[in-house]
Amino acid sequence: MPLSLRKIACIGAGYVGGPTMAVIADRCPDIDVTVLDLNAERIAAWNSADLPVYEPGLAAVVSRARGRNLRFVGQTEGAAYVAAADAVFISVNTPTKTEGEGAGKASDLRYVESCARFIAAHATGHTIVIEKSTMPVRAADCVKSILATARPGVTFDILSNPEFLAEGTAIRDLELPDRVLIGGERPESIAALAEIYRRWVPAERILSTGLWSAELSKLVANAFLAQRVSSINSISALCEVTGADVEEVAAVVGADSRIGPKFLRASVGFGGSCFQKDLLSLIYISESYGLTEVAAYWQQVVDLNQWQKRRFADLIAAPIADGAGSLRGRRIAILGFAFKKDTNDVRETPAMDVCRRLLARGATLAVHDYRVTPESVRSEFAAQGVEVAATPEAALAGADGVAVLTEWSAYATLDWARLAGRLKVGAVIHDGRNILDAGAVRRAGLILRSIGRGAQPNA
Ligand code: NAD
Ligand code: UGA
């Protein structure tokens, strides 16, 4: 008899677990969806009007499903829902290990392992366990060995169903995915999960592979995307010294249908919780199989990104540092702290690296962001010298330099004619996202330096 998943649970109510389950519940009103998390504060926020994750469209999806067939519960209460579930998603964090074997590169699977132990302890009958978290290839073996410790008569099958959503566009990505990937060993389990997605995803976009290919494909997809950003960022430096314009180069290169236009926006560097983590995981796996050249190839994508962030901070410092390179007494306005627009996420934000480098040289910073809370900004800095500004205007007051680090649309329409007087005379505006209206900035008598653009006539 074909399997049918009527009750599902998801362990981990983060940026992936929360939105993904909300969309499944919204699209499948007949499926009972429970999301559980160890973090009681996060669960309380999911049950409130002030959701813990900012994503355009998320609040509407949650409000339609929550209290109908979607619930958010703590771990203790969640045990009974795991026991009753036909399928349990594991959607917990898999950060880079900070200690032990593979520290600094390998993915830390301790949270996944603890989920597997929780499922093994509480599941009843037959349960499909679905890896939604991004895992190293062959991690399902480790989950399987933990599940094997369950009580006699309790059985499992494992699927890998990695998530490809990007923050800031999570709801759109979940509702209209390029593809859904389901890796597994048993066709009936793959079909049961595919049946859920089939409610709103066309069949040809649901890809099924073996377990190891699914696990590896997720790492490789992120690595390829990050590689494009590092590629264009390497060219941004070349454009700046030659007088070429990286936007023009990217448009020409991207017009080739074999290359395509996406992920060719030069920037201060890529950030977010996954690109670097997943690249490092891929590098570690390659090294552990003795594939030194493969590891070195992908390491360069990470190294170029670190270099771009340092390079950008040094460009900001150059016109205002004293003879000894110090920025003491200099105030720099930081416009944008999130790792990209339309999210409140600051994990691995490039803004942090830029700020740290400027602070280390003695600068004082005034940080503004539209969605990142002041507490979130402050919690990132142990050092003094960081002020959180409520508006871009407040950040700019008395600034010796300005850096645009997140591409919030509202920064693109700032009224520079009005704002110019707030800055110190001679202040340079550094656009790390190429979103400012260069003409408007220059008409206001200000000096603009854009990433990947050679010196301009008035610069
Ligand atoms: P997150 O840190 O936002 O959320 C993870 C949640 O899991 C946290 O709330 C944490 O409290 C909870 N948790 C950890 N261990 C637990 C346990 N044993 N029991 C119950 N709850 C537990 O992480 P995220 O951004 O949602 O990422 C989750 C996974 O999805 C990662 O593997 C990541 O690589 C992958 N991913 C993330 C994104 C993204 O855009 N953030 C996109 C695709 C894939
Ligand atoms: C990325 C992938 O796009 C998702 O498919 C994947 O699911 C996710 O990682 C994950 O596994 O976590 P995300 O990190 O949320 O999503 O956001 P992206 O849009 O990929 O941007 C990542 C970083 O690259 C941001 O800092 C962004 O500003 C930067 N970027 C992106 C550029 O600098 N230039 C570009 O052209 C594109």
Side-chain angles (χ1 to χ4, degrees), residues 189-203:
S189 302
I190 295 174
L193 181 55
E195 190 210 276
I196 293 186
Y197 288 108
R198 274 292 291 121
R199 312 285 189 95
W200 74 97
V201 181

Side-chain angles (χ1 to χ4, degrees), residues 335 368 389-396:
L335 298 187
H368 171 264
T391 58
E393 288 80 351
L396 295 176

Side-chain angles (χ1 to χ4, degrees), residues 404-423:
V404 177
L405 300 185
T406 311
E407 73 281 25
W408 287 106
S409 307
Y411 292 143
T413 54
L414 286 176
D415 181 355
W416 290 101
R418 188 174 61 78
L419 294 170
R422 299 185 76 82
L423 299 169

Side-chain angles (χ1 to χ4, degrees), residues 11-17 36-39 42 75 91-94 110-112 114-115 132-135 163-167 218 222 273-274 277-278 339 345 347:
I11 309 182
Y15 281 85
V16 169
L36 49 140
D37 202 293
L38 283 173
N39 183 335
R42 224 171 203 190
Q75 195 81 345
S91 188
V92 297
N93 35 331
T94 48
R110 80 174 89 166
Y111 306 103
V112 170
S114 115
C115 291
K132 179 56 88 182
S133 296
T134 303
M135 311 274 246
E163 184 48 59
F164 295 101
L165 69 80
E167 290 180 30
K218 170 64 198 179
N222 272 358
S273 61
C274 293
K277 156 179 89 72
D278 293 347
F339 81 98
D345 197 348
R347 290 177 293 177

